Amino acid sequence: MHGVPALTWDADIASSAQAWADNGQYKSSAAESSIVNAEQLGENILWGYPAFTGTASTVAWYSEVQYFDSASATDSFNPVDPTEHYRQVVWQNSTKLGCGKGKASIGDNPGDFWVCRYSPSGNAGQIGQNVLAATRGVRACGGTLADLPGGIGSGISWSGTGSGGSAASGPLPSACTPDLILPVGSLCVYGYQCASSFCCPRRKVCLESSASLINSSDTMNLTNDTKALVDSIVFTGGSTCSDPWSMSHKCTQNEVGQPFSTWDQLQCGCKPEYMARYLDGTWVTLNRGVTCEVEVETTTTLPPDTTTTTVKSQALQHQASLAVVLGLLVVTAACS
């Protein structure tokens, strides 16, 4: 995702990581005990109760991306920096990896203790040269939505700033991951589709932050055939969605761009032209050359009569919802 080569598994490093994990104490090792073949190693640790997987550990470390600001990052080590685990995971100069899992207790609670070590060590200056921005979506790297922080099935949920609640846990309209992560100015539905992790709730365009301003010349990645259509939805007669802030728990997303469990785009005052594309999954694919496949969950097969009734009921609900949207009065708003 960040344009760096995949790490190579190293048996010697894994052996050293396992030795520390077997120590049974949930704490970072001393520098002198994390040297392999005369090379100082970087280290990430995590404890989970009652059990935790290696994948979930990596997602937890990577989730610190929400706190990383490349503009203010310095090469000086800060012992209270909340992003050191994330930086080590994506550190360009680290090429080898080894991990181990042991058991450790916090209080009376025994849990899994994960240790991963990296060579050469990350977090050793030159942050700008080694922590590169994401350029590809999770699917393009062979992953799924479950691999995203707070993603469906990841086992990790996040509380959003001001909105509260955990991430949505089921398939939603337009819940797809672009093959290439979307740059600022691209059309979006969810923040995790954007390189910035922020999809403006009013405009439905990837922006750097809620304080960013945007005008028609900033919408990029569109064909000439779709530019006029998109401008009419995003800028003419008000924004794409008129008032998402008054229903923030239904219309906004958490720090890593995942919708909350109360997500309901029908309550956000969105224009019918957008809602039609949101429901059929074609808003994001208006971006030039972008394909966006939806994660499909397998479900239990129902008896024929039940299946028919359920499908008809869902279709009627969508038609009724769209009819409501057609009658909404859209007012002027901006993402700021």
Side-chain angles (χ1 to χ4, degrees), residues 184-187 205 214-236 277 283 285-288:
V184 167
S186 301
L187 304 182
V205 174
I214 187 171
N215 56 47
S216 178
S217 63
D218 296 323
T219 53
M220 54 188 293
N221 209 27
L222 300 172
T223 65
N224 292 334
D225 293 338
T226 60
K227 176 68 173 171
L229 169 65
V230 168
D231 284 353
S232 70
I233 298 172
V234 177
F235 300 105
T236 304
R277 289 169 175 79
W283 178 250
T285 55
L286 287 175
N287 293 299
R288 186 197 307 265

Side-chain angles (χ1 to χ4, degrees), residues 24-161:
Q25 299 181 60
Y26 177 54
K27 64 179 183 179
S28 297
S29 63
E32 58 269 20
S33 66
S34 57
I35 297 175
V36 170
N37 298 326
E39 191 164 55
Q40 183 68 59
L41 305 178
E43 180 178 275
N44 280 344
I45 64 171
L46 189 139
W47 178 88
Y49 170 82
F52 218 65
T53 67
T55 298
S57 299
T58 305
V59 171
W61 293 327
Y62 184 85
S63 73
E64 294 173 4
V65 63
Q66 63 189 295
Y67 305 115
F68 182 75
D69 180 3
S70 59
S72 61
T74 67
D75 290 340
S76 301
F77 177 71
N78 181 351
V80 296
D81 191 310
T83 67
E84 62 176 2
H85 302 96
Y86 157 70
R87 296 201 311 262
Q88 177 61 87
V89 169
V90 302
W91 196 266
Q92 180 174 229
N93 195 45
S94 294
T95 58
K96 294 181 288 186
L97 166 74
C99 299
K101 183 182 81 168
K103 289 289 184 180
S105 294
I106 295 181
D108 295 328
N109 300 313
D112 288 338
F113 176 32
W114 283 92
V115 179
C116 285
R117 289 179 170 178
Y118 306 78
S119 176
S121 175
N123 293 313
Q126 299 182 320
I127 290 177
Q129 291 83 1
N130 283 285
V131 183
L132 309 181
T135 58
R136 304 176 70 195
V138 65
R139 185 186 297 280
C141 297
T144 69
L145 290 181
D147 300 316
L148 293 170
I152 297 169
S154 68
I156 298 180
S157 61
W158 306 98
S159 295
T161 302

Side-chain angles (χ1 to χ4, degrees), residues 236-252:
T236 304
S239 302
T240 309
C241 299
S242 65
D243 190 17
W245 308 121
S246 65
M247 300 284 284
S248 61
H249 61 296
K250 295 180 181 293
C251 307
T252 62

Side-chain angles (χ1 to χ4, degrees), residues 7-8 10 20 31 56 133 143 158 184 199 208 246 267 279 292 322 335:
L7 294 165
T8 301
D10 186 282
W20 185 250
W158 306 98
V184 167
C199 181
E208 287 291 350
S246 65
Q267 307 301 316
L279 290 172
C292 203
L322 206 49
C335 202

